[in-house]
Amino acid sequence: MSKKKNNKEIELNEQVEILNAEKAELNDRFLRLYSEFENYKKRTNKEKLDLIATASERVILGLLPIVDDYERAIKHNQNTEDIATLKEGFTLIYSKLLTLLKRFEVEEIIALGEIFDTDLHEAVTHLPAQCEEDKGKIMDVTEKGYKLKDKVIRFSKVVVAN
């Protein structure tokens, strides 16, 4: 009987050793995966920060030529009295700025004459409607709104007819 008990004990000890080895292996694999995941998180966070920094750098680099144009216009127009030339110069610079905004997928939210939409517009005041079909429509825009891709980055400030 003691021989049977001894064999059973040896067999159980062997199983314990096998299980301990499996546990150590699984624990090692877990620690490696955990470390890899932590490194992945750090790397992706750094990439996101770099992307944000790079994106703002691209916008600023796009704005600098427009700043240069304004500086040249101010310097050139200090002594000019030709209003048509001034208007043309500022229109060209404004056009250049709109082109830059379009390149970065910024677009104006069209509001005048549209139905008031709280997802796009912010009512700053209300006016009585001239006729029934004007009710709920935007009668004036006090500040243009803009979208970046499909996200509203600034709501249009509008006057709504009631």
mmCIF file of all heavy atoms in Angstrom, residues 62-105:
data_model
loop_
_atom_site.group_PDB
_atom_site.id
_atom_site.type_symbol
_atom_site.label_atom_id
_atom_site.label_comp_id
_atom_site.label_asym_id
_atom_site.label_seq_id
_atom_site.Cartn_x
_atom_site.Cartn_y
_atom_site.Cartn_z
ATOM 1 N N GLY A 62 1.236 77.486 -44.459
ATOM 2 C CA GLY A 62 0.325 77.982 -45.486
ATOM 3 C C GLY A 62 -0.084 79.428 -45.246
ATOM 4 O O GLY A 62 -0.340 80.180 -46.196
ATOM 5 N N LEU A 63 -0.145 79.837 -43.981
ATOM 6 C CA LEU A 63 -0.542 81.210 -43.653
ATOM 7 C C LEU A 63 0.574 82.230 -43.853
ATOM 8 O O LEU A 63 0.304 83.401 -44.123
ATOM 9 C CB LEU A 63 -1.018 81.282 -42.193
ATOM 10 C CG LEU A 63 -2.401 80.740 -41.898
ATOM 11 C CD1 LEU A 63 -2.644 80.684 -40.403
ATOM 12 C CD2 LEU A 63 -3.468 81.580 -42.578
ATOM 13 N N LEU A 64 1.804 81.804 -43.726
ATOM 14 C CA LEU A 64 2.922 82.748 -43.808
ATOM 15 C C LEU A 64 2.981 83.532 -45.128
ATOM 16 O O LEU A 64 3.214 84.748 -45.094
ATOM 17 C CB LEU A 64 4.245 82.031 -43.527
ATOM 18 C CG LEU A 64 4.431 81.589 -42.068
ATOM 19 C CD1 LEU A 64 5.736 80.819 -41.913
ATOM 20 C CD2 LEU A 64 4.373 82.763 -41.122
ATOM 21 N N PRO A 65 2.763 82.913 -46.289
ATOM 22 C CA PRO A 65 2.762 83.722 -47.516
ATOM 23 C C PRO A 65 1.639 84.768 -47.530
ATOM 24 O O PRO A 65 1.808 85.855 -48.093
ATOM 25 C CB PRO A 65 2.536 82.694 -48.633
ATOM 26 C CG PRO A 65 2.974 81.395 -48.062
ATOM 27 C CD PRO A 65 2.695 81.484 -46.593
ATOM 28 N N ILE A 66 0.539 84.460 -46.884
ATOM 29 C CA ILE A 66 -0.562 85.429 -46.822
ATOM 30 C C ILE A 66 -0.177 86.593 -45.917
ATOM 31 O O ILE A 66 -0.451 87.757 -46.230
ATOM 32 C CB ILE A 66 -1.857 84.729 -46.351
ATOM 33 C CG1 ILE A 66 -2.260 83.673 -47.394
ATOM 34 C CG2 ILE A 66 -2.976 85.732 -46.123
ATOM 35 C CD1 ILE A 66 -3.350 82.739 -46.968
ATOM 36 N N VAL A 67 0.509 86.305 -44.808
ATOM 37 C CA VAL A 67 1.018 87.366 -43.939
ATOM 38 C C VAL A 67 1.999 88.233 -44.722
ATOM 39 O O VAL A 67 1.958 89.477 -44.630
ATOM 40 C CB VAL A 67 1.679 86.760 -42.672
ATOM 41 C CG1 VAL A 67 2.426 87.820 -41.872
ATOM 42 C CG2 VAL A 67 0.641 86.070 -41.806
ATOM 43 N N ASP A 68 2.868 87.588 -45.499
ATOM 44 C CA ASP A 68 3.821 88.343 -46.329
ATOM 45 C C ASP A 68 3.079 89.264 -47.294
ATOM 46 O O ASP A 68 3.469 90.424 -47.465
ATOM 47 C CB ASP A 68 4.720 87.390 -47.121
ATOM 48 C CG ASP A 68 5.644 86.564 -46.237
ATOM 49 O OD1 ASP A 68 5.893 86.960 -45.078
ATOM 50 O OD2 ASP A 68 6.105 85.502 -46.713
ATOM 51 N N ASP A 69 2.025 88.759 -47.916
ATOM 52 C CA ASP A 69 1.239 89.576 -48.849
ATOM 53 C C ASP A 69 0.619 90.772 -48.139
ATOM 54 O O ASP A 69 0.610 91.884 -48.672
ATOM 55 C CB ASP A 69 0.134 88.740 -49.497
ATOM 56 C CG ASP A 69 0.666 87.759 -50.520
ATOM 57 O OD1 ASP A 69 1.855 87.876 -50.906
ATOM 58 O OD2 ASP A 69 -0.097 86.855 -50.931
ATOM 59 N N TYR A 70 0.081 90.566 -46.943
ATOM 60 C CA TYR A 70 -0.494 91.678 -46.186
ATOM 61 C C TYR A 70 0.573 92.713 -45.847
ATOM 62 O O TYR A 70 0.334 93.928 -45.962
ATOM 63 C CB TYR A 70 -1.161 91.187 -44.891
ATOM 64 C CG TYR A 70 -2.624 90.895 -45.059
ATOM 65 C CD1 TYR A 70 -3.110 89.606 -44.942
ATOM 66 C CD2 TYR A 70 -3.530 91.915 -45.342
ATOM 67 C CE1 TYR A 70 -4.447 89.330 -45.104
ATOM 68 C CE2 TYR A 70 -4.877 91.644 -45.502
ATOM 69 C CZ TYR A 70 -5.332 90.355 -45.377
ATOM 70 O OH TYR A 70 -6.661 90.091 -45.534
ATOM 71 N N GLU A 71 1.761 92.260 -45.441
ATOM 72 C CA GLU A 71 2.836 93.196 -45.120
ATOM 73 C C GLU A 71 3.240 94.006 -46.342
ATOM 74 O O GLU A 71 3.442 95.226 -46.258
ATOM 75 C CB GLU A 71 4.034 92.439 -44.546
ATOM 76 C CG GLU A 71 3.793 91.915 -43.142
ATOM 77 C CD GLU A 71 4.909 91.015 -42.629
ATOM 78 O OE1 GLU A 71 5.798 90.603 -43.428
ATOM 79 O OE2 GLU A 71 4.885 90.710 -41.424
ATOM 80 N N ARG A 72 3.346 93.325 -47.498
ATOM 81 C CA ARG A 72 3.689 94.045 -48.732
ATOM 82 C C ARG A 72 2.585 95.036 -49.094
ATOM 83 O O ARG A 72 2.863 96.169 -49.509
ATOM 84 C CB ARG A 72 3.906 93.059 -49.882
ATOM 85 C CG ARG A 72 5.268 92.402 -49.874
ATOM 86 C CD ARG A 72 5.536 91.632 -51.163
ATOM 87 N NE ARG A 72 4.715 90.433 -51.295
ATOM 88 C CZ ARG A 72 5.043 89.245 -50.811
ATOM 89 N NH1 ARG A 72 6.161 89.090 -50.154
ATOM 90 N NH2 ARG A 72 4.244 88.214 -50.972
ATOM 91 N N ALA A 73 1.325 94.620 -48.923
ATOM 92 C CA ALA A 73 0.203 95.507 -49.260
ATOM 93 C C ALA A 73 0.201 96.738 -48.357
ATOM 94 O O ALA A 73 -0.003 97.862 -48.830
ATOM 95 C CB ALA A 73 -1.117 94.757 -49.127
ATOM 96 N N ILE A 74 0.439 96.539 -47.081
ATOM 97 C CA ILE A 74 0.456 97.670 -46.150
ATOM 98 C C ILE A 74 1.595 98.627 -46.513
ATOM 99 O O ILE A 74 1.397 99.850 -46.578
ATOM 100 C CB ILE A 74 0.592 97.166 -44.695
ATOM 101 C CG1 ILE A 74 -0.706 96.471 -44.273
ATOM 102 C CG2 ILE A 74 0.932 98.304 -43.739
ATOM 103 C CD1 ILE A 74 -0.593 95.673 -42.978
ATOM 104 N N LYS A 75 2.770 98.059 -46.775
ATOM 105 C CA LYS A 75 3.930 98.892 -47.116
ATOM 106 C C LYS A 75 3.691 99.641 -48.428
ATOM 107 O O LYS A 75 3.948 100.834 -48.534
ATOM 108 C CB LYS A 75 5.171 98.012 -47.221
ATOM 109 C CG LYS A 75 6.441 98.777 -47.457
ATOM 110 C CD LYS A 75 7.633 97.835 -47.480
ATOM 111 C CE LYS A 75 8.910 98.610 -47.725
ATOM 112 N NZ LYS A 75 10.076 97.729 -47.794
ATOM 113 N N HIS A 76 3.184 98.934 -49.426
ATOM 114 C CA HIS A 76 2.971 99.528 -50.748
ATOM 115 C C HIS A 76 1.852 100.576 -50.723
ATOM 116 O O HIS A 76 1.916 101.578 -51.447
ATOM 117 C CB HIS A 76 2.634 98.434 -51.761
ATOM 118 C CG HIS A 76 2.325 98.949 -53.122
ATOM 119 N ND1 HIS A 76 3.296 99.437 -53.971
ATOM 120 C CD2 HIS A 76 1.148 99.069 -53.791
ATOM 121 C CE1 HIS A 76 2.732 99.832 -55.101
ATOM 122 N NE2 HIS A 76 1.430 99.617 -55.013
ATOM 123 N N ASN A 77 0.834 100.357 -49.906
ATOM 124 C CA ASN A 77 -0.349 101.218 -49.942
ATOM 125 C C ASN A 77 -0.308 102.368 -48.949
ATOM 126 O O ASN A 77 -1.286 103.098 -48.820
ATOM 127 C CB ASN A 77 -1.601 100.378 -49.694
ATOM 128 C CG ASN A 77 -1.850 99.396 -50.809
ATOM 129 O OD1 ASN A 77 -1.583 99.694 -51.980
ATOM 130 N ND2 ASN A 77 -2.338 98.223 -50.473
ATOM 131 N N GLN A 78 0.818 102.593 -48.280
ATOM 132 C CA GLN A 78 0.899 103.691 -47.322
ATOM 133 C C GLN A 78 0.700 105.046 -47.994
ATOM 134 O O GLN A 78 0.115 105.955 -47.413
ATOM 135 C CB GLN A 78 2.231 103.661 -46.573
ATOM 136 C CG GLN A 78 2.276 102.602 -45.508
ATOM 137 C CD GLN A 78 3.615 102.547 -44.803
ATOM 138 O OE1 GLN A 78 4.615 103.084 -45.282
ATOM 139 N NE2 GLN A 78 3.628 101.885 -43.666
ATOM 140 N N ASN A 79 1.172 105.196 -49.199
ATOM 141 C CA ASN A 79 1.105 106.494 -49.876
ATOM 142 C C ASN A 79 0.176 106.495 -51.085
ATOM 143 O O ASN A 79 0.142 107.484 -51.808
ATOM 144 C CB ASN A 79 2.513 106.929 -50.310
ATOM 145 C CG ASN A 79 3.442 107.096 -49.136
ATOM 146 O OD1 ASN A 79 3.013 107.551 -48.078
ATOM 147 N ND2 ASN A 79 4.695 106.709 -49.292
ATOM 148 N N THR A 80 -0.552 105.400 -51.297
ATOM 149 C CA THR A 80 -1.411 105.346 -52.479
ATOM 150 C C THR A 80 -2.786 105.929 -52.157
ATOM 151 O O THR A 80 -3.263 105.859 -51.036
ATOM 152 C CB THR A 80 -1.547 103.915 -53.006
ATOM 153 O OG1 THR A 80 -2.199 103.965 -54.269
ATOM 154 C CG2 THR A 80 -2.345 103.043 -52.097
ATOM 155 N N GLU A 81 -3.372 106.516 -53.171
ATOM 156 C CA GLU A 81 -4.720 107.050 -53.016
ATOM 157 C C GLU A 81 -5.675 106.402 -54.003
ATOM 158 O O GLU A 81 -6.829 106.794 -54.086
ATOM 159 C CB GLU A 81 -4.681 108.569 -53.196
ATOM 160 C CG GLU A 81 -3.907 109.243 -52.077
ATOM 161 C CD GLU A 81 -3.906 110.753 -52.190
ATOM 162 O OE1 GLU A 81 -4.801 111.313 -52.836
ATOM 163 O OE2 GLU A 81 -2.997 111.359 -51.628
ATOM 164 N N ASP A 82 -5.193 105.396 -54.704
ATOM 165 C CA ASP A 82 -6.005 104.674 -55.681
ATOM 166 C C ASP A 82 -6.802 103.584 -54.965
ATOM 167 O O ASP A 82 -6.283 102.509 -54.665
ATOM 168 C CB ASP A 82 -5.100 104.076 -56.760
ATOM 169 C CG ASP A 82 -5.882 103.401 -57.867
ATOM 170 O OD1 ASP A 82 -7.130 103.500 -57.874
ATOM 171 O OD2 ASP A 82 -5.238 102.761 -58.721
ATOM 172 N N ILE A 83 -8.050 103.869 -54.680
ATOM 173 C CA ILE A 83 -8.908 102.953 -53.930
ATOM 174 C C ILE A 83 -9.140 101.652 -54.701
ATOM 175 O O ILE A 83 -9.189 100.576 -54.098
ATOM 176 C CB ILE A 83 -10.264 103.626 -53.603
ATOM 177 C CG1 ILE A 83 -10.048 104.876 -52.748
ATOM 178 C CG2 ILE A 83 -11.205 102.673 -52.909
ATOM 179 C CD1 ILE A 83 -9.414 104.612 -51.410
ATOM 180 N N ALA A 84 -9.245 101.710 -55.994
ATOM 181 C CA ALA A 84 -9.482 100.505 -56.796
ATOM 182 C C ALA A 84 -8.333 99.520 -56.644
ATOM 183 O O ALA A 84 -8.548 98.308 -56.522
ATOM 184 C CB ALA A 84 -9.675 100.882 -58.265
ATOM 185 N N THR A 85 -7.100 100.030 -56.624
ATOM 186 C CA THR A 85 -5.936 99.172 -56.447
ATOM 187 C C THR A 85 -5.944 98.536 -55.063
ATOM 188 O O THR A 85 -5.626 97.356 -54.909
ATOM 189 C CB THR A 85 -4.633 99.978 -56.651
ATOM 190 O OG1 THR A 85 -4.659 100.588 -57.941
ATOM 191 C CG2 THR A 85 -3.412 99.107 -56.528
ATOM 192 N N LEU A 86 -6.305 99.319 -54.046
ATOM 193 C CA LEU A 86 -6.396 98.788 -52.678
ATOM 194 C C LEU A 86 -7.412 97.656 -52.605
ATOM 195 O O LEU A 86 -7.126 96.592 -52.040
ATOM 196 C CB LEU A 86 -6.806 99.897 -51.699
ATOM 197 C CG LEU A 86 -5.736 100.883 -51.281
ATOM 198 C CD1 LEU A 86 -6.336 102.008 -50.447
ATOM 199 C CD2 LEU A 86 -4.662 100.181 -50.496
ATOM 200 N N LYS A 87 -8.581 97.904 -53.165
ATOM 201 C CA LYS A 87 -9.638 96.890 -53.147
ATOM 202 C C LYS A 87 -9.189 95.617 -53.860
ATOM 203 O O LYS A 87 -9.398 94.508 -53.376
ATOM 204 C CB LYS A 87 -10.915 97.427 -53.803
ATOM 205 C CG LYS A 87 -11.647 98.436 -52.959
ATOM 206 C CD LYS A 87 -12.896 98.907 -53.683
ATOM 207 C CE LYS A 87 -13.646 99.928 -52.869
ATOM 208 N NZ LYS A 87 -14.855 100.405 -53.561
ATOM 209 N N GLU A 88 -8.551 95.787 -55.013
ATOM 210 C CA GLU A 88 -8.089 94.634 -55.777
ATOM 211 C C GLU A 88 -7.053 93.839 -54.990
ATOM 212 O O GLU A 88 -7.088 92.611 -54.937
ATOM 213 C CB GLU A 88 -7.498 95.090 -57.117
ATOM 214 C CG GLU A 88 -7.032 93.950 -57.985
ATOM 215 C CD GLU A 88 -6.385 94.431 -59.279
ATOM 216 O OE1 GLU A 88 -6.494 95.621 -59.614
ATOM 217 O OE2 GLU A 88 -5.760 93.592 -59.952
ATOM 218 N N GLY A 89 -6.116 94.541 -54.346
ATOM 219 C CA GLY A 89 -5.080 93.874 -53.567
ATOM 220 C C GLY A 89 -5.664 93.075 -52.410
ATOM 221 O O GLY A 89 -5.297 91.906 -52.189
ATOM 222 N N PHE A 90 -6.574 93.679 -51.676
ATOM 223 C CA PHE A 90 -7.182 92.973 -50.551
ATOM 224 C C PHE A 90 -8.061 91.813 -51.017
ATOM 225 O O PHE A 90 -8.117 90.769 -50.375
ATOM 226 C CB PHE A 90 -7.966 93.936 -49.653
ATOM 227 C CG PHE A 90 -7.063 94.713 -48.745
ATOM 228 C CD1 PHE A 90 -6.797 96.049 -48.981
ATOM 229 C CD2 PHE A 90 -6.448 94.104 -47.659
ATOM 230 C CE1 PHE A 90 -5.956 96.762 -48.157
ATOM 231 C CE2 PHE A 90 -5.599 94.806 -46.829
ATOM 232 C CZ PHE A 90 -5.350 96.137 -47.076
ATOM 233 N N THR A 91 -8.704 91.965 -52.160
ATOM 234 C CA THR A 91 -9.506 90.869 -52.715
ATOM 235 C C THR A 91 -8.610 89.695 -53.104
ATOM 236 O O THR A 91 -8.956 88.538 -52.855
ATOM 237 C CB THR A 91 -10.305 91.364 -53.935
ATOM 238 O OG1 THR A 91 -11.152 92.443 -53.523
ATOM 239 C CG2 THR A 91 -11.160 90.261 -54.519
ATOM 240 N N LEU A 92 -7.442 89.986 -53.686
ATOM 241 C CA LEU A 92 -6.504 88.920 -54.046
ATOM 242 C C LEU A 92 -5.995 88.177 -52.804
ATOM 243 O O LEU A 92 -5.914 86.947 -52.792
ATOM 244 C CB LEU A 92 -5.320 89.488 -54.836
ATOM 245 C CG LEU A 92 -5.614 89.917 -56.271
ATOM 246 C CD1 LEU A 92 -4.414 90.657 -56.860
ATOM 247 C CD2 LEU A 92 -5.960 88.708 -57.117
ATOM 248 N N ILE A 93 -5.668 88.933 -51.763
ATOM 249 C CA ILE A 93 -5.178 88.299 -50.533
ATOM 250 C C ILE A 93 -6.289 87.465 -49.895
ATOM 251 O O ILE A 93 -6.054 86.346 -49.431
ATOM 252 C CB ILE A 93 -4.631 89.356 -49.553
ATOM 253 C CG1 ILE A 93 -3.401 90.040 -50.155
ATOM 254 C CG2 ILE A 93 -4.271 88.713 -48.213
ATOM 255 C CD1 ILE A 93 -2.907 91.251 -49.372
ATOM 256 N N TYR A 94 -7.501 87.994 -49.880
ATOM 257 C CA TYR A 94 -8.645 87.260 -49.322
ATOM 258 C C TYR A 94 -8.880 85.975 -50.117
ATOM 259 O O TYR A 94 -9.109 84.910 -49.541
ATOM 260 C CB TYR A 94 -9.888 88.151 -49.359
ATOM 261 C CG TYR A 94 -11.142 87.496 -48.836
ATOM 262 C CD1 TYR A 94 -11.282 87.190 -47.490
ATOM 263 C CD2 TYR A 94 -12.193 87.176 -49.702
ATOM 264 C CE1 TYR A 94 -12.437 86.588 -47.007
ATOM 265 C CE2 TYR A 94 -13.342 86.574 -49.227
ATOM 266 C CZ TYR A 94 -13.459 86.290 -47.881
ATOM 267 O OH TYR A 94 -14.608 85.692 -47.417
ATOM 268 N N SER A 95 -8.763 86.043 -51.417
ATOM 269 C CA SER A 95 -8.923 84.864 -52.270
ATOM 270 C C SER A 95 -7.861 83.821 -51.944
ATOM 271 O O SER A 95 -8.147 82.614 -51.897
ATOM 272 C CB SER A 95 -8.841 85.294 -53.731
ATOM 273 O OG SER A 95 -8.654 84.197 -54.562
ATOM 274 N N LYS A 96 -6.642 84.270 -51.719
ATOM 275 C CA LYS A 96 -5.551 83.369 -51.370
ATOM 276 C C LYS A 96 -5.840 82.670 -50.027
ATOM 277 O O LYS A 96 -5.585 81.473 -49.870
ATOM 278 C CB LYS A 96 -4.247 84.166 -51.297
ATOM 279 C CG LYS A 96 -3.003 83.358 -51.344
ATOM 280 C CD LYS A 96 -1.796 84.297 -51.465
ATOM 281 C CE LYS A 96 -0.535 83.541 -51.676
ATOM 282 N NZ LYS A 96 0.619 84.434 -51.846
ATOM 283 N N LEU A 97 -6.381 83.415 -49.076
ATOM 284 C CA LEU A 97 -6.731 82.852 -47.776
ATOM 285 C C LEU A 97 -7.847 81.812 -47.914
ATOM 286 O O LEU A 97 -7.775 80.728 -47.320
ATOM 287 C CB LEU A 97 -7.157 83.959 -46.810
ATOM 288 C CG LEU A 97 -7.505 83.541 -45.392
ATOM 289 C CD1 LEU A 97 -6.331 82.853 -44.721
ATOM 290 C CD2 LEU A 97 -7.919 84.762 -44.584
ATOM 291 N N LEU A 98 -8.853 82.094 -48.724
ATOM 292 C CA LEU A 98 -9.936 81.126 -48.948
ATOM 293 C C LEU A 98 -9.412 79.857 -49.616
ATOM 294 O O LEU A 98 -9.856 78.751 -49.290
ATOM 295 C CB LEU A 98 -11.050 81.750 -49.798
ATOM 296 C CG LEU A 98 -11.887 82.830 -49.107
ATOM 297 C CD1 LEU A 98 -12.934 83.371 -50.080
ATOM 298 C CD2 LEU A 98 -12.532 82.320 -47.842
ATOM 299 N N THR A 99 -8.463 80.008 -50.527
ATOM 300 C CA THR A 99 -7.856 78.848 -51.182
ATOM 301 C C THR A 99 -7.124 77.980 -50.164
ATOM 302 O O THR A 99 -7.213 76.753 -50.199
ATOM 303 C CB THR A 99 -6.891 79.304 -52.292
ATOM 304 O OG1 THR A 99 -7.615 80.096 -53.233
ATOM 305 C CG2 THR A 99 -6.244 78.131 -52.991
ATOM 306 N N LEU A 100 -6.430 78.624 -49.244
ATOM 307 C CA LEU A 100 -5.732 77.880 -48.190
ATOM 308 C C LEU A 100 -6.733 77.123 -47.319
ATOM 309 O O LEU A 100 -6.534 75.943 -47.010
ATOM 310 C CB LEU A 100 -4.890 78.821 -47.325
ATOM 311 C CG LEU A 100 -4.194 78.164 -46.139
ATOM 312 C CD1 LEU A 100 -3.076 77.245 -46.624
ATOM 313 C CD2 LEU A 100 -3.657 79.205 -45.183
ATOM 314 N N LEU A 101 -7.816 77.789 -46.940
ATOM 315 C CA LEU A 101 -8.837 77.119 -46.123
ATOM 316 C C LEU A 101 -9.424 75.922 -46.861
ATOM 317 O O LEU A 101 -9.614 74.857 -46.276
ATOM 318 C CB LEU A 101 -9.945 78.104 -45.731
ATOM 319 C CG LEU A 101 -9.549 79.187 -44.734
ATOM 320 C CD1 LEU A 101 -10.697 80.163 -44.530
ATOM 321 C CD2 LEU A 101 -9.105 78.589 -43.415
ATOM 322 N N LYS A 102 -9.672 76.086 -48.141
ATOM 323 C CA LYS A 102 -10.223 74.992 -48.942
ATOM 324 C C LYS A 102 -9.240 73.826 -49.011
ATOM 325 O O LYS A 102 -9.633 72.667 -48.936
ATOM 326 C CB LYS A 102 -10.552 75.485 -50.349
ATOM 327 C CG LYS A 102 -11.305 74.464 -51.187
ATOM 328 C CD LYS A 102 -11.706 75.031 -52.529
ATOM 329 C CE LYS A 102 -12.945 75.851 -52.305
ATOM 330 N NZ LYS A 102 -13.565 76.299 -53.547
ATOM 331 N N ARG A 103 -7.956 74.135 -49.094
ATOM 332 C CA ARG A 103 -6.928 73.089 -49.148
ATOM 333 C C ARG A 103 -6.929 72.257 -47.862
ATOM 334 O O ARG A 103 -6.661 71.070 -47.885
ATOM 335 C CB ARG A 103 -5.558 73.711 -49.380
ATOM 336 C CG ARG A 103 -4.467 72.686 -49.591
ATOM 337 C CD ARG A 103 -3.167 73.283 -50.011
ATOM 338 N NE ARG A 103 -2.821 74.418 -49.176
ATOM 339 C CZ ARG A 103 -1.667 75.042 -49.196
ATOM 340 N NH1 ARG A 103 -0.748 74.663 -50.038
ATOM 341 N NH2 ARG A 103 -1.422 76.046 -48.411
ATOM 342 N N PHE A 104 -7.246 72.910 -46.736
ATOM 343 C CA PHE A 104 -7.316 72.192 -45.461
ATOM 344 C C PHE A 104 -8.738 71.711 -45.155
ATOM 345 O O PHE A 104 -9.051 71.364 -44.022
ATOM 346 C CB PHE A 104 -6.772 73.055 -44.323
ATOM 347 C CG PHE A 104 -5.285 73.175 -44.366
ATOM 348 C CD1 PHE A 104 -4.684 74.337 -44.814
ATOM 349 C CD2 PHE A 104 -4.481 72.112 -43.997
ATOM 350 C CE1 PHE A 104 -3.304 74.448 -44.877
ATOM 351 C CE2 PHE A 104 -3.103 72.212 -44.056
ATOM 352 C CZ PHE A 104 -2.516 73.379 -44.504
ATOM 353 N N GLU A 105 -9.581 71.685 -46.176
ATOM 354 C CA GLU A 105 -10.948 71.170 -46.111
ATOM 355 C C GLU A 105 -11.828 71.926 -45.118
ATOM 356 O O GLU A 105 -12.675 71.349 -44.439
ATOM 357 C CB GLU A 105 -10.950 69.668 -45.806
ATOM 358 C CG GLU A 105 -10.241 68.863 -46.900
ATOM 359 C CD GLU A 105 -10.224 67.381 -46.623
ATOM 360 O OE1 GLU A 105 -11.327 66.804 -46.560
ATOM 361 O OE2 GLU A 105 -9.133 66.815 -46.467
#
